[in-house]
Amino acid sequence: MTDTLAPEDVIARIAPLTAARLEHFERLRIVTPVATGDGPRYRLLDVRRITLLCELTDDFEVNEDALVIIMSLLDQLHGAQGRLDHVVNAIAEEPLEIKLRLSRRLIEAGAP
């Protein structure tokens, strides 16, 4: 797979996807292609989102209002995970005594 895919390539990869359905997901603003000189392109993350969207609507009959909410929550979760990764990396660079103190505080706070 290349870095980005044209709409027709995405449609070919995702069986239940049609051009109209892809445009509908874009109108809902839950999928946004990258604008390039060759036209709109979709990243691997977009292809995964579109696959999930098709599964949610086809297999679970999730309506479009719920789709927007679900994707927003997933985006928020992804953002929080990224911020948590930054915190963990920053802690990893600290001296051992700081790591131990933070570990004790987390245990005292009831963190898993």
Side-chain angles (χ1 to χ4, degrees):
M1 179 181 247
T2 61
D3 290 334
T4 60
L5 295 172
E8 56 272 11
D9 296 325
V10 174
I11 293 166
R13 287 180 181 267
I14 303 172
L17 186 64
T18 63
R21 196 172 196 188
L22 181 58
E23 290 170 10
H24 182 70
F25 292 152
E26 289 178 22
R27 276 193 307 278
L28 292 174
R29 297 181 186 201
I30 49 181
V31 175
T32 304
V34 175
T36 71
D38 296 325
R41 294 291 182 263
Y42 298 88
R43 301 162 295 153
L44 177 58
L45 177 63
D46 297 319
V47 173
R48 290 178 179 159
R49 286 175 72 90
I50 295 164
T51 300
L52 175 61
L53 290 165
C54 289
E55 290 172 355
L56 288 171
T57 54
D58 294 346
D59 299 344
F60 299 102
E61 300 177 4
V62 174
N63 66 42
E64 68 182 41
D65 290 335
L67 280 179
V68 171
I69 292 168
I70 290 168
M71 297 313 287
S72 174
L73 291 171
L74 284 174
D75 291 341
Q76 290 174 46
L77 182 61
H78 180 74
Q81 181 65 51
R83 289 186 299 278
L84 180 59
D85 289 344
H86 289 298
V87 170
V88 169
N89 290 336
I91 291 170
E93 294 176 12
E94 291 297 318
L96 181 59
E97 69 181 54
I98 301 290
K99 292 180 201 177
L100 291 173
R101 188 170 66 226
L102 286 170
S103 179
R104 281 193 302 275
R105 283 196 172 171
L106 288 170
I107 290 169
E108 290 168 3

